[in-house]
Amino acid sequence: MKLTKQHQLYESDHTLFIKALKAKNPAIEQGQQEGRARLWDKAPLSLDEQQRQLASAVKQQAYVYQNKV
C-alpha cells in the first residue's frame, strides 16, 4: 500500500516530543544504553553457577497468600 506524500511527512505529537527532548538533551540515549546494560545485558552464567542457583532456590508453595495452619 503506497501512502500519499502528505501521509509520508506526518509525525505524531509523541514523535515530535521525543525528537525535541533528544535535541535538548543529547545524553539521553547514552543514559538509556547504560541503563539497559546495567539491567539486562548480563554475562552468561557457567554451568556450575546455574546448577548452584537451581540447588539453592527455595520452593514456593502453590498459593503464596495462604498460611500453612
Side-chain angles (χ1 to χ4, degrees):
M1 180 171 105
K2 188 129 178 145
L3 297 176
T4 63
K5 191 169 205 130
Q6 182 182 13
H7 290 301
Q8 290 175 347
L9 300 176
Y10 172 76
E11 290 184 333
S12 70
D13 292 338
H14 299 287
T15 303
L16 294 174
F17 171 75
I18 296 296
K19 283 185 176 183
L21 187 65
K22 287 183 178 180
K24 257 193 254 179
N25 187 359
I28 285 180
E29 286 193 47
Q30 179 65 27
Q32 286 176 327
Q33 291 173 357
E34 289 171 3
R36 177 203 159 117
R38 197 176 315 126
L39 293 173
W40 299 106
D41 299 339
K42 305 285 183 188
L45 296 175
S46 67
L47 292 177
D48 293 335
E49 183 66 19
Q50 288 178 10
Q51 289 175 347
R52 187 190 69 76
Q53 285 185 353
L54 286 174
S56 65
V58 177
K59 186 163 173 66
Q60 185 175 0
Q61 61 185 14
Y63 186 69
V64 296
Y65 299 110
Q66 180 177 4
N67 295 331
K68 291 185 177 181
V69 180

